[in-house]
Amino acid sequence: MPLKKFKSGTSHVGIIQLVSTSFHLYFFIITIKRSDMNTRRKFIKTFASSAFAIPMAVQAGTGIIAPEERILPQEKVLRVALMGLGSYAGRVADAMQACKRAKITGLISGTPAKLKSWQTKYGVPEKNCYNYENFDQIKSNPEIDAVYVITPNALHRDQVIRIAKAGKHVICEKPMGINAKEGEAMVQACKDANVKLLIGYRMHFEPKTLEIVRMRSNNELGKILFFQGLSGFRIGDPGQWRLKKDLAGGGAMMDIGIYSVNGARYMVGEEPVWVTAQETKTDPQKFKEGVDETITFQLGFPGGAIASCLSTYSMNNLDKFFLNGDKGFGELQPATGYGPIMGRTHKGELTHPHVTHQTVQMDEMAAIILDNKKAIVPVDGEEGLKDLKIIDAIYQAVRSGQKVTLKL
Ligand code: NAD
């Protein structure tokens, strides 16, 4: 049981309280041992709900962390409102049914019928349901800790800023906004409001991905020389928001190319210092001005590695990461789909079990928000902003035909 150190100025009353509490604690632990409470979870639950928690709560001024800070956070559940009840939100909502640390307690949608059916399906009370006009009222709703924004890209900035102003933590889908200027405003708004901003980078918690990241950071691949990222699919319905610049902010790069942008960074383990890029368009009707169909881009890293990547809306079977070092390699294919992710390295097949990405992501994000846990590969607003700075530079390189220098 981790008790925090005394402050040097602990009062006599504080010491008496502490001795008395320690005495209680000793007997409490003995009781637990006797009743065979062999799991930490059972121990914490029993402790937190026992009458013993009460004397601990009066430790203010003794230097001991109050029990609600020391023990309960590990058991606290992040209460999340989902905003934008579309196809990806449906996947997140289903995956969240298996979460241990996160649950859906609110819904935000512009469609009353959708609110009704989701309310019934996920057991959300009417009083926790909002629309896009009135969702600022979550400010006074104690049953919502965070809002997960899963709407079209160009809506993210204003929605995230409004949520931050309502004093709630934000999880925002990728891309966090449609350019770096938006990302900066979002990061600043969350800082000002003292709330956390996380981006829905589910691959940052995927076991095979993390194994290659681990091997690379342990120097098992040697000096990193090359990364290849292929991200693409054939997009269908020409009327969808993903093909409208005002809602998508761009084309394939914003939606799927971002996986290679982001992947290049966490696989190589450095921030790129330059970018070059080329665009090709085979269907200017479907992919209008400002909506990119296919972009190839190259990134240069300070350690000398280069990345060569493809982002496209017009080819299927493109979901691959390949990382090459002078001692070995790591490969993921598929690398970013919903899984199972498949991977191998120079040492053989990666056999880590498949996990539902969104379940793990939401449990981990709950720990990041509630317990200040640090993700192995960060998922905060700054991380999302770096990707947008690179995407801005990719578009600039396409327009100018020049190498663009990056300072991330
Ligand atoms: P979708 O079209 O299925 O859902 C979007 C939702 O936003 C719909 O419910 C729609 O009604 C709502 N909406 C609110 N205002 C709208 C407006 N003005 N115009 C259009 N729709 C509006 O899209 P989706 O596939 O769920 O994507 C939503 C977000 O999630 C995007 O940012 C996307 O990049 C992201 N996404 C992430 C992943 C991932 O794996 N992390 C996967 C898919 C989508």
Side-chain angles (χ1 to χ4, degrees):
M1 180 70 53
L3 290 178
K4 219 188 169 193
K5 287 169 243 115
F6 290 108
K7 277 187 195 150
S8 52
T10 305
S11 69
H12 292 308
V13 173
I15 289 171
I16 290 162
Q17 280 179 341
L18 177 65
V19 168
S20 147
T21 301
S22 305
F23 192 65
H24 280 87
L25 182 59
Y26 173 76
F27 282 103
F28 184 71
I29 290 168
I30 297 295
T31 311
I32 280 179
K33 273 192 179 159
R34 283 204 187 127
S35 59
D36 193 29
M37 289 250 176
N38 54 1
T39 67
R40 189 165 168 269
R41 180 170 284 267
K42 271 188 192 164
F43 175 89
I44 290 166
K45 268 193 179 146
T46 307
F47 178 84
S49 60
S50 78
F52 179 77
I54 296 163
M56 287 297 283
V58 294
Q59 293 306 310
T62 64
I64 297 174
I65 299 177
E68 61 275 16
E69 287 168 25
R70 177 159 48 85
I71 294 165
L72 291 182
Q74 295 170 26
E75 287 302 286
K76 261 189 196 162
V77 165
L78 186 73
R79 297 161 307 168
V80 181
L82 299 180
M83 173 186 281
L85 308 183
S87 72
Y88 191 61
R91 186 176 284 275
V92 170
D94 289 344
M96 281 182 72
Q97 302 313 301
C99 280
K100 294 187 175 69
R101 301 279 326 259
K103 71 171 183 176
I104 303 167
T105 56
L107 297 168
I108 301 164
S109 167
T111 314
K114 244 195 274 183
L115 274 176
K116 265 268 157 301
S117 64
W118 281 54
Q119 232 180 292
T120 312
K121 187 168 180 192
Y122 298 108
V124 176
E126 173 76 29
K127 65 181 168 55
N128 294 357
C129 293
Y130 300 87
N131 58 40
Y132 293 107
E133 282 72 49
N134 69 11
F135 76 78
D136 310 83
Q137 292 169 17
I138 52 168
K139 189 181 174 105
S140 54
N141 190 327
E143 292 173 12
I144 295 170
D145 304 311
V147 179
Y148 193 165
V149 176
I150 319 183
T151 54
N153 312 338
L155 308 179
H156 294 176
R157 178 194 54 187
D158 289 355
Q159 289 167 343
V160 166
I161 292 174
R162 280 172 67 185
I163 296 159
K165 285 188 174 157
K168 304 295 179 178
H169 301 293
V170 197
I171 303 169
C172 177
E173 256 318 313
K174 43 57 57 180
M176 71 186 289
I178 59 168
N179 54 47
K181 194 169 167 235
E182 287 202 353
E184 271 158 9
M186 294 159 81
V187 167
Q188 193 57 50
C190 291
K191 248 184 219 155
D192 292 346
N194 199 23
V195 297
K196 290 203 168 99
L197 170 59
L198 306 182
I199 313 302
Y201 288 129
R202 61 189 160 77
M203 302 317 298
H204 293 202
F205 307 104
E206 196 282 318
K208 293 186 181 92
T209 306
L210 289 178
E211 173 59 8
I212 296 183
V213 168
R214 185 200 65 75
M215 287 176 73
R216 185 259 303 145
S217 44
N218 276 2
N219 201 32
E220 290 172 38
L221 307 184
K223 180 178 162 54
I224 298 302
L225 304 167
F226 180 70
F227 171 79
Q228 182 191 38
L230 305 177
S231 302
F233 65 94
R234 269 185 86 80
I235 197 160
D237 176 14
Q240 62 185 290
W241 67 261
R242 281 182 167 77
L243 295 171
K244 294 180 178 151
K245 183 172 163 52
D246 59 339
L247 283 172
M253 180 59 64
M254 283 290 171
D255 190 38
I256 190 79
I258 190 170
Y259 283 97
S260 276
V261 171
N262 187 243
R265 296 176 45 238
Y266 64 71
M267 294 291 270
V268 173
E270 293 176 19
E271 301 300 354
V273 287
W274 58 258
V275 55
T276 49
Q278 310 76 33
E279 179 176 11
T280 51
K281 207 172 259 197
T282 63
D283 188 346
Q285 276 303 100
K286 191 168 182 178
F287 306 102
K288 301 211 161 49
E289 182 66 30
V291 178
D292 49 285
E293 177 187 342
T294 300
I295 291 180
T296 47
F297 62 96
Q298 303 76 40
L299 302 169
F301 293 86
I306 47 164
S308 171
C309 304
L310 172 67
S311 158
T312 185
Y313 262 160
S314 58
M315 288 171 242
N316 279 335
N317 306 310
L318 283 175
D319 183 11
K320 180 180 171 181
F321 286 175
F322 177 73
L323 183 69
N324 206 14
D326 65 5
K327 284 202 231 158
F329 71 89
E331 182 181 82
L332 296 166
Q333 187 180 17
T336 64
Y338 298 134
I341 300 301
M342 308 283 277
R344 65 191 181 111
T345 72
H346 58 289
K347 291 182 176 164
E349 209 72 27
L350 294 174
T351 54
H352 304 66
H354 169 62
V355 295
T356 302
H357 299 171
Q358 297 79 8
T359 307
V360 178
Q361 173 202 324
M362 291 308 289
D363 272 341
E364 288 296 313
M365 287 188 166
I368 292 168
I369 290 174
L370 298 173
D371 309 341
N372 274 322
K373 185 174 176 181
K374 295 274 169 279
I376 296 169
V377 182
V379 285
D380 54 28
E382 279 82 1
E383 178 75 10
L385 177 56
K386 283 176 187 166
D387 286 343
L388 285 180
K389 285 182 177 170
I390 297 171
I391 291 175
D392 280 359
I394 289 171
Y395 285 143
Q396 192 188 330
V398 162
R399 284 192 302 272
S400 68
Q402 303 290 312
K403 183 186 264 193
V404 175
T405 304
L406 282 165
K407 277 202 190 83
L408 297 183

